[in-house]
Amino acid sequence: LLHTVMLGVGKELVKDMLQHYLNPSQKEILQSMLFSYNSKRFSRKLRSSLRLHGSFLGRDYKILLQQIPLLLDEMIQNQHIPSTHTQIHIIKNCFNSLGRLISLLYTSKIYTHFSFYINMITCEYRRFRQYTQQHDTYMRTLYPANSRRQGIHNSSKMHILYHLTEDIIRFGSPIFYETEKGE
């Protein structure tokens, strides 16, 4: 989960959002919202500046990927990002879907309805893949000359996620075979 989700597709989405979707003033607003994020159920806060996103650790991406979907919605509601800015909805859909997928993957044990759980992961992965394809299409329109960019939906990390349900059926929850605790 650390290398596939957090440091794989999650890192690429954060990087693309900060470099291509938000302008400098919107990044500053997002930064202040991250620093002042207050929730009774989620006490972790990002301590690093968004400018340093290239050197974030897995825990930083874990925080970001849980908070960004909510904060992007709040920025749109407060009109820090115009609701007519259609491109922001592309990346927001990616973060929303990835957040749902992460919450399913960080489940430690399923006691009943295991096949329903596997089906939920499969459906959310497909939705996430569709959103990343839309994101990659948008990125190709921004940079048509950059033909070497393979995109997120066509990466090895996405391919690993494709096989994740098979791994869960065979080995159990991915929490128990992740490398994060040993890093």
Side-chain angles (χ1 to χ4, degrees):
L1 292 180
L2 173 67
H3 293 282
T4 305
V5 178
M6 302 303 166
L7 297 175
V9 294
K11 180 179 181 176
E12 287 301 313
L13 286 172
V14 169
K15 183 175 78 172
D16 286 348
M17 179 192 67
L18 293 174
Q19 291 176 353
H20 306 291
Y21 286 90
L22 299 179
N23 65 38
S25 64
Q26 292 166 337
K27 288 181 211 176
E28 289 298 321
I29 292 167
L30 179 61
Q31 178 73 65
S32 67
M33 292 172 82
L34 284 164
F35 283 161
S36 65
Y37 188 82
N38 192 11
S39 171
K40 292 179 182 177
R41 301 200 188 275
F42 190 80
S43 60
R44 296 181 189 179
K45 290 189 180 193
L46 184 69
R47 294 189 176 96
S48 301
S49 170
L50 288 176
R51 288 178 287 130
L52 304 173
H53 72 275
S55 61
F56 280 174
L57 302 172
R59 70 172 178 262
D60 298 320
Y61 287 107
K62 197 179 225 182
I63 292 167
L64 282 171
L65 295 175
Q66 292 178 67
Q67 293 178 357
I68 283 178
L70 302 170
L71 297 179
L72 284 178
D73 282 338
E74 190 174 326
M75 288 177 74
I76 292 169
Q77 287 175 359
N78 293 336
Q79 299 177 349
H80 299 298
I81 300 173
S83 60
T84 56
H85 187 260
T86 56
Q87 293 84 359
I88 200 69
H89 294 286
I90 294 170
I91 196 81
K92 190 171 86 63
N93 288 338
C94 289
F95 281 118
N96 287 337
S97 182
L98 182 59
R100 288 188 296 270
L101 186 60
I102 288 170
S103 68
L104 289 168
L105 297 178
Y106 274 94
T107 301
S108 60
K109 189 161 186 168
I110 301 297
Y111 295 98
T112 61
H113 305 292
F114 184 73
S115 60
F116 179 69
Y117 168 71
I118 293 297
N119 190 41
M120 287 175 55
I121 291 174
T122 302
C123 290
E124 197 57 53
Y125 166 78
R126 288 180 183 154
R127 190 175 300 125
F128 178 61
R129 184 165 174 85
Q130 176 186 0
Y131 290 141
T132 57
Q133 286 174 329
Q134 292 170 1
H135 162 72
D136 290 344
T137 301
Y138 171 67
M139 294 303 291
R140 277 192 295 278
T141 61
L142 285 180
Y143 303 102
N146 191 358
S147 61
R148 293 185 350 183
R149 179 183 167 95
Q150 70 176 12
I152 295 171
H153 85 280
N154 201 23
S155 68
S156 60
K157 306 295 183 178
M158 283 296 284
H159 184 74
I160 291 170
L161 285 176
Y162 174 79
H163 293 289
L164 193 57
T165 54
E166 298 164 6
D167 294 341
I168 292 170
I169 291 168
R170 187 173 182 191
F171 301 113
S173 173
I175 286 181
F176 300 119
Y177 52 89
E178 67 175 316
T179 59
E180 188 170 353
K181 289 175 180 50
E183 284 289 314

